[in-house]
Amino acid sequence: MQFLLAFVVVAPLLGAAAALLPAPPGLKGKSPDQAVLRHGVTVTGVILLAAIALTLGFDHDHPSRMQATTDISWIKALDVRIHLGVDGISLPLLVLTALLTFLCALYSYFKMPQGPSPKAFVALLLVLEAGTLATFAFLDLVLFFLAFEMVLVPMYFLIARWGGEGRRAAAGKFILYTLLGSVVMLLGLLLIGIKAGTFDMVALATDGGRGLTTSVQVTAVLAIGLGLAVKTPMWPLHSWLPDAHTAAPTVGSVLLAGVLLKMGTYGFVRIALPIAPDGMHTLAPYLAAFAAAGIVYGSLACLALARPGAKGDLKRLIAYSSVGHMGFVLLGIATLTPTGVNGALFANIAHGLITGLLFFLVGALKDRYGTADLDTLAGATGAALYGRAPRLGALLAFAAVASLGLPGLAGFWGEMLALFAAFDPAEGLNRAAYLVFMALGGLGTLLTAAYLLIVVRRVCMGGPRPAGEPELADVQPYELAAWTPLVALTVLAGLWPAVLLGLTDPAVQQLLAGGTQ
């Protein structure tokens, strides 16, 4: 188990280095480009298998205990350690990252985005995977920060070099916002490490903030929370996200929504909640207020983009929907209750599956039509997907109803638990305020249903195909291979939520009680 976790974290970096080397003559296939893309599929596939093996070997009877741990001294003067481990909180995110990266590599093998050499593309994809996996596996504050920052460079270049119109400006905005947030976050992490005398996240969580004064905790949570909120993204620190998603290539959008946003919310659960509980208790109502505002704001922005004549980009609409969905995650965390935090962790996974699928589908539509403009898709040339590409239309409708939180699909449980927890927040929090936040969240669910059903009606139920217009290609075999796991897991998580909640709940209970061991 130790080896498996270390392999999962290190293998993407080794694979990235190998991708930049010349392919051996016997493995080149039809071309060097094909060889390096196949290399990406192979490496990410092996990492996914290792993550699955790690899951099978995980002691599911004790998910609150850190498992597969490695703890080696690295910088003795600062007591920085190479400390790795997984529990019921981090394991699902680790597997989600490995799965989405593999599906993106598989999709890119058949549909490589336009841009420079595939060598750099595959190498950046693997470096991005290494950073995200390390973020969920490291248990040292300094290494967590390094892994957290590591993903910025590959994502910047994926957007700037392989993105669409406005890619350089969008990539610049992405790196500027996240770097500024990270500088503030680093100050908070250093404050905790210096005041507590250790950067070890397990020791700090076990201590439960008893070695830190309330003022230190509040300052640390404010600094760390700002950095995490930018990455989440929390309203009003979200404005980099729509531009980044709109300009990014399909696989970039999938990984940005499915994995990178989860790093922010994971940081709240892994660092802020257990290490600085008094600081979180002080600032939780403000976090909940911003979360509720984000839920309503994101839904209203999507409604504005969905209306006829607005020239709304479908990728941009899905990006704004992420602001609303991640608002439910933050609201669940801000309740400071096991129910709310479990709902947040469930919503994290559900959003990664469903929004990843949505961005795959919108990318496929853009490939076929040359645009993701809703007015164009629903205009005179109308998509009318049910009649022209029925399988593509059915998948888009499925992803939309999953995203709006239809009971029986993954999107339902996280939002329901977050709202339920807001009805009865942790002791000491203003229940009247949280009831208002719950009502705003409920309004957000109605608005979410409204804009997603408008999108389905306009794109899938358009007019008949004009005479003389060519047929639209339906779902291709490689697309089906990349999308089917996301569909299956969305249904599985919706019908059997206990599979995921059984992993997270014991770990959350122990984390909130003051310890991870």
Side-chain angles (χ1 to χ4, degrees), residues 16-97:
L20 298 174
L21 300 174
L27 298 178
K28 284 185 178 180
K30 294 180 181 178
S31 71
D33 288 351
Q34 185 193 49
V36 74
L37 291 170
R38 187 169 60 246
H39 169 79
V41 176
T42 303
V43 173
T44 55
V46 170
I47 293 166
L48 175 60
L49 290 176
I52 293 171
L54 187 67
T55 305
L56 295 175
F58 187 81
D59 184 358
H60 291 262
D61 292 330
H62 301 90
S64 61
R65 180 169 56 86
M66 281 294 171
Q67 302 181 35
T69 55
T70 299
D71 191 2
I72 303 170
S73 178
W74 183 36
I75 305 175
K76 289 185 178 181
L78 298 176
D79 193 28
V80 177
R81 309 184 68 81
I82 300 176
H83 192 181
L84 290 84
V86 290
D87 63 357
I89 292 171
S90 54
L91 183 63
L93 291 166
L94 205 74
V95 176
L96 176 69
T97 300

Side-chain angles (χ1 to χ4, degrees), residues 462-473:
R465 178 171 60 91
E469 188 167 318
E471 289 286 346
L472 186 70

Side-chain angles (χ1 to χ4, degrees), residues 107 314 357-369 377 383-400 456 459-461 472-476 478-480 483 487:
Y107 187 85
L314 191 50
L357 178 60
L358 277 169
F359 276 117
F360 268 133
L361 292 166
V362 175
L365 275 177
K366 192 170 183 178
D367 289 338
R368 286 158 171 79
Y369 283 93
L377 294 176
L385 288 178
Y386 289 156
R388 302 185 62 188
R391 288 191 292 275
L392 187 59
L395 282 169
L396 182 61
F398 169 84
V456 171
V459 176
C460 297
M461 302 178 181
L472 186 70
D474 210 340
V475 178
Q476 301 299 302
Y478 73 91
E479 294 173 328
L480 194 63
W483 303 342
V487 173

